[in-house]
Amino acid sequence: MAVALAGASLTLGAGQAAAATRGEVLAGFTVKGQPIPCVAQADGVRVCHGDGKGPKGDDFRLKTFDGMPLALVVTLPPAPSSGPDGDYPLVIQSHGWGDPPTGPDDGQYGGPTARQWAKEGYAVVQLAARGWGDSCGSINSRLLDLPGCLNGYVRRADFRYEIRDAQYVAGLLVDEGIADGGRIGAQGESYGAGTSLALATLNDRVMNADGSLSPWTSPKGTPLHIAAAAPFAGWSDDTALAPNGHWLDTQTTATNRASPVGVQKMSIGRGLFTVGMQGAFYAPPGGDPDMMLEFALATAGEPYDRPQVRAMLKAGAQFHSSYDLLAGTFGTARRAPAPLFLVNGFTDDVFWADEVLVYYNLLRSLYPSAPVEVLFGDIGHQRAQSKPADLMLAGGRIHAFLAYYLKGAGPQPATDVTALTQTCPKSAPSGGPYTAATWAALHPGVVSFSAKPTQTILSAGGDPKVSKAFDPVSGGLSCTTAPAADEGRGVATYRLPTPTGSGYTLLGSPTVTADLKVTGEFAYIAGRLVDIDPVTNTKTLVARGAYRIDPKAPNGRQTFQLSANGWHFAPGHFAQLELLGRDAPFLRPSNGVFSIAVSNLELKLPIHEAR
């Protein structure tokens, strides 16, 4: 049974000094100035709900730096029996798209819940991001404060807004003596992973409305910084949902990820937009960002050489891309990020593993000694299986990482890369873990394959039933199979020899190099690597990718990669590369009609076994 702290009395043992316990937080900073009441739970953890549902119609939402009302939950440790009730390490938990926080037992953050943190002596704050839930997302929440919610729409994890909101509330909690300004951590999943990575990349800075950076201080002037962050299943740049395939995991910089414009992950993008339409507040026409216009442009498709598209891509990189912030792409000073534990899924089709790798490679090149730990596995968004044991491993490592940097608890985390491999069926334990000092060191061996004859990719080629089976929205999870029969005219297919000995373990990004000759317009290649089981005559998707043909240089020898994965090719099975001109509903079909002649193809599979 929950017991309100206000007016509570404590029976003290001999020699104990009475502790002034907190029964409320953020007085003077809510919409109407009232403090947010805190309620002690049966385990002593105190929960402070700042929403617009007060017992007398009170509006306990936080009035953020620009006056917009934000719903939040502050979770505090049990009241101490003696000593100060404050200066706690603080964890900022940021929620996923369409999933505003529900309180201390909300398990969406890829690691410990707020209650679990609080029991260990941490304070936790969960904000409902702008335009979601009671942060002006619902009609009722907007009616409570029409002037405050006028511009309270979704900003899509903008450094100047959602990220600034998290920094602002952390500063208030420091000023109030609840949080220790030197021990602030960030944890988040999916949309919230983008927020936590942005917080870490900004580190001790805030971004102003004009894109310039200033020191991060609390409202009373205390210098602040992020001590560590653990993004789970997130993104690092704004092209994640429309990759062009022009970056390789051997490169340290990525100046070409938005040019040419990539291929939209259609089923994912439309699904996310629909979730927002059902439960969020999108900007009116002309807002920043204009989500309706962005969706219309994505739906319309090629040609992309339009002023609106160029402006959209620039704004996305400048105000939403942690990669570009780290790189100083728009002239801001470079700064090492906070210590990072980056967790992403190999089989996550929303945010492929390269969303971690592109940031990781740049970070390692700029700051070789920066603390960064990486974990990959069959986890995250669909198509991932997210096996309980793998999630437990990830959650335990997130806990250990943040505990070390926020409390000095436990051994110092290693700065290495760990991978768990995809296995089937779901009941089978994942392979590994495999650990190496760097991403490249995970795959010292290579399986090479070459084919000189010309094959042709057509924009209408492929079997729609197979594409649907492998779609992350309408299809199944990562162990879904499809018939191994040839998909017919218009698909370039390359079957590798069956492995010898005990087989080999893919542990990286399959790399394709070939001579291309393109006819038509708006061409792209949808690539798949599959495992063929000749006994069942079925195939399992192992890796996929999208490669947009650059219209300025469509022909000649070109190299691209499929998304990284970990998968063991067993003796008797076959690895098969399939190159298509269409993979709907996952990828948006091109508006053009095209053919691509592929010749002198080379495929390299990075494997864990040294050869």
Side-chain angles (χ1 to χ4, degrees):
M1 177 179 179
V3 181
L5 287 177
S9 61
L10 295 172
T11 302
L12 302 176
Q16 280 188 311
T21 60
R22 298 178 184 276
E24 58 191 34
V25 298
L26 299 176
F29 295 99
T30 59
V31 171
K32 296 183 179 178
Q34 306 120 307
I36 301 171
C38 301
V39 177
Q41 312 294 295
D43 57 3
V45 168
R46 294 166 288 173
V47 182
C48 323
H49 279 278
D51 54 29
K53 304 169 186 175
K56 299 179 181 179
D58 300 315
D59 193 342
F60 292 122
R61 292 177 295 176
L62 172 72
K63 194 172 184 180
T64 192
F65 71 94
D66 63 355
M68 193 208 133
L70 292 175
L72 77 167
V73 181
V74 177
T75 303
L76 301 177
S81 58
S82 63
D85 184 12
D87 288 330
Y88 299 113
L90 175 68
V91 177
I92 302 170
Q93 291 188 328
S94 300
H95 67 82
W97 186 261
D99 201 7
T102 58
D105 299 310
D106 194 334
Q108 68 173 298
Y109 301 102
T113 64
R115 185 183 301 279
Q116 290 168 330
W117 283 123
K119 285 183 176 181
E120 296 184 16
Y122 297 78
V124 181
V125 62
Q126 302 164 326
L127 280 173
R130 290 171 179 247
W132 293 102
D134 277 349
S135 294
C136 303
S138 68
I139 293 176
N140 287 341
S141 71
R142 295 199 287 276
L143 291 175
L144 285 174
D145 185 2
L146 286 172
C149 284
L150 183 64
N151 293 315
Y153 43 80
V154 173
R155 300 281 188 163
R156 214 178 64 239
D158 192 311
F159 302 146
R160 303 164 299 170
Y161 296 99
E162 286 96 341
I163 315 307
R164 185 77 176 268
D165 291 334
Q167 293 172 316
Y168 178 72
V169 69
L172 291 178
L173 294 173
V174 170
D175 285 346
E176 197 165 318
I178 293 171
D180 180 343
R183 298 189 294 166
I184 302 174
Q187 174 191 3
E189 181 177 285
S190 187
Y191 186 53
T195 296
S196 59
L197 182 60
L199 285 166
T201 308
L202 284 164
N203 196 342
D204 57 0
R205 305 166 296 173
V206 297
M207 182 172 282
N208 305 307
D210 63 359
S212 63
L213 300 178
S214 299
W216 177 21
T217 62
S218 73
K220 290 185 178 180
T222 300
L224 302 175
H225 70 278
I226 295 295
F232 180 94
W235 84 98
S236 65
D237 85 298
D238 208 47
T239 66
L241 298 182
N244 69 8
H246 283 251
W247 179 80
L248 305 178
D249 69 358
T250 55
Q251 297 173 331
T252 57
T253 58
T255 58
N256 55 352
R257 284 173 69 83
S259 179
V261 175
V263 183
Q264 184 197 7
K265 296 179 181 179
M266 182 173 69
S267 60
I268 296 293
R270 292 184 179 182
L272 292 173
F273 182 81
T274 301
V275 168
M277 287 295 291
Q278 293 171 345
F281 175 26
Y282 285 161
D288 176 21
D290 190 334
M291 299 282 287
M292 305 296 282
L293 175 61
E294 290 183 0
F295 182 73
L297 291 171
T299 301
E302 303 95 347
Y304 290 118
D305 188 20
R306 308 174 189 175
Q308 302 103 313
V309 174
R310 290 193 292 271
M312 179 178 73
L313 292 172
K314 179 179 181 295
Q318 184 173 8
F319 303 126
H320 305 264
S321 168
S322 290
Y323 171 86
D324 285 288
L325 181 62
L326 181 68
T329 302
F330 294 91
T332 54
R334 288 177 173 175
R335 168 78 163 87
L340 280 164
F341 181 39
L342 303 170
V343 186
N344 255 58
F346 279 143
T347 50
D348 183 333
D349 275 339
V350 180
F351 300 128
W352 286 334
D354 63 358
E355 284 301 308
V356 160
L357 292 172
V358 68
Y359 187 99
Y360 168 84
N361 282 6
L362 178 63
L363 172 60
R364 273 278 170 256
S365 70
L366 294 177
Y367 310 104
S369 60
V372 56
E373 183 179 2
V374 178
L375 174 65
F376 291 115
D378 183 11
I379 53 178
H381 304 91
Q382 63 267 46
R383 297 173 293 111
Q385 297 181 94
S386 293
K387 298 176 181 179
D390 297 350
L391 294 179
M392 185 177 297
L393 173 67
R397 292 200 177 185
I398 288 172
H399 174 265
F401 191 89
L402 292 179
Y404 176 81
Y405 285 105
L406 270 63
K407 261 194 171 184
Q412 182 173 356
T415 55
D416 56 21
V417 181
T418 297
L420 301 167
T421 63
Q422 173 190 349
T423 57
C424 297
K426 186 174 183 178
S427 58
S430 296
Y434 300 95
T435 300
T438 65
W439 170 247
L442 270 179
H443 42 258
V446 62
V447 170
S448 297
F449 171 84
S450 61
K452 291 186 177 181
T454 299
Q455 295 196 46
T456 301
I457 300 170
L458 298 177
S459 52
D463 184 343
K465 293 180 180 178
V466 174
S467 294
K468 185 176 181 179
F470 293 151
D471 178 61
V473 175
S474 59
L477 298 180
S478 59
C479 285
T480 297
T481 61
D486 191 304
E487 292 195 41
R489 182 172 174 269
V491 178
T493 303
Y494 307 87
R495 181 169 292 192
L496 280 65
T498 185
T500 58
S502 59
Y504 54 83
T505 306
L506 174 75
L507 206 56
S509 307
T511 302
V512 179
T513 301
D515 294 328
L516 305 181
K517 185 175 182 180
V518 180
T519 302
E521 58 180 357
F522 312 138
Y524 71 80
I525 297 174
R528 297 189 198 130
L529 181 70
V530 298
D531 181 303
I532 302 290
D533 182 346
V535 174
T536 61
N537 198 32
T538 59
K539 59 186 179 184
T540 302
L541 180 60
V542 174
R544 71 192 326 167
Y547 180 69
R548 172 72 73 179
I549 301 297
D550 186 345
K552 297 177 181 178
N555 301 320
R557 195 137 187 93
Q558 303 186 41
T559 297
F560 60 93
Q561 290 180 325
L562 308 187
S563 59
N565 197 3
W567 174 268
H568 186 72
F569 286 95
H573 286 222
F574 300 89
Q576 179 167 289
L577 175 68
E578 301 171 347
L579 304 180
L580 307 93
R582 177 187 175 98
D583 192 14
F586 177 54
L587 299 178
R588 187 194 182 283
S590 171
N591 284 348
V593 175
F594 61 84
S595 66
I596 305 172
V598 183
S599 59
N600 299 314
L601 179 136
E602 295 180 359
L603 171 65
K604 294 187 181 298
L605 302 182
I607 63 172
H608 181 66
E609 297 82 6
R611 289 193 174 187

